[in-house]
Coordinates of all heavy atoms in Angstrom, one line a residue:
S280 N 1.7 -9.4 13.6 CA 3.1 -9.0 13.9 C 3.3 -7.4 13.8 O 2.6 -6.8 12.9 CB 4.0 -9.6 12.9 OG 5.4 -9.2 13.1
R467 N 14.3 19.4 0.0 CA 15.5 19.3 0.8 C 16.6 19.4 -0.1 O 16.9 18.5 -0.9 CB 15.4 18.0 1.5 CG 16.6 17.7 2.5 CD 16.4 16.5 3.3 NE 16.1 15.3 2.5 CZ 15.3 14.3 2.9 NH1 14.7 14.3 4.0 NH2 15.1 13.2 2.0
T470 N 16.6 18.3 -3.9 CA 15.6 17.2 -4.0 C 14.2 17.7 -3.7 O 14.0 18.3 -2.6 CB 15.9 15.9 -3.1 OG1 17.2 15.4 -3.5 CG2 14.8 14.9 -3.3
D495 N -7.6 -6.5 -1.0 CA -7.6 -5.3 -1.8 C -6.9 -4.2 -1.0 O -7.0 -4.1 0.3 CB -9.0 -4.9 -2.1 CG -9.6 -5.8 -3.1 OD1 -8.9 -6.6 -3.8 OD2 -10.9 -5.8 -3.2
T569 N 3.3 12.7 4.0 CA 2.7 13.0 5.3 C 2.0 14.4 5.3 O 0.9 14.5 5.7 CB 3.8 13.0 6.3 OG1 4.4 11.7 6.4 CG2 3.4 13.5 7.7
G594 N 37.8 0.1 5.1 CA 38.2 -1.1 5.8 C 38.8 -0.7 7.2 O 38.6 -1.6 8.1
M613 N 27.0 2.7 0.8 CA 25.7 2.3 1.4 C 24.7 3.3 1.1 O 25.0 4.6 1.1 CB 25.9 2.1 2.9 CG 24.6 1.6 3.6 SD 24.8 1.6 5.4 CE 24.8 3.3 5.8
V720 N -22.6 0.2 5.9 CA -23.1 1.0 4.7 C -22.3 2.3 4.6 O -22.3 3.1 5.6 CB -24.6 1.3 4.8 CG1 -25.1 2.1 3.6 CG2 -25.4 0.0 4.9
G747 N -46.4 2.6 19.8 CA -46.4 3.8 20.6 C -45.6 4.9 20.0 O -45.8 6.1 20.5
A792 N -55.5 12.1 0.7 CA -55.2 11.9 -0.7 C -53.8 11.3 -0.8 O -53.0 11.5 0.0 CB -55.3 13.2 -1.5

Side-chain angles (χ1 to χ4, degrees):
S280 175
R467 180 171 53 210
T470 296
D495 294 343
T569 294
M613 178 184 76
V720 179

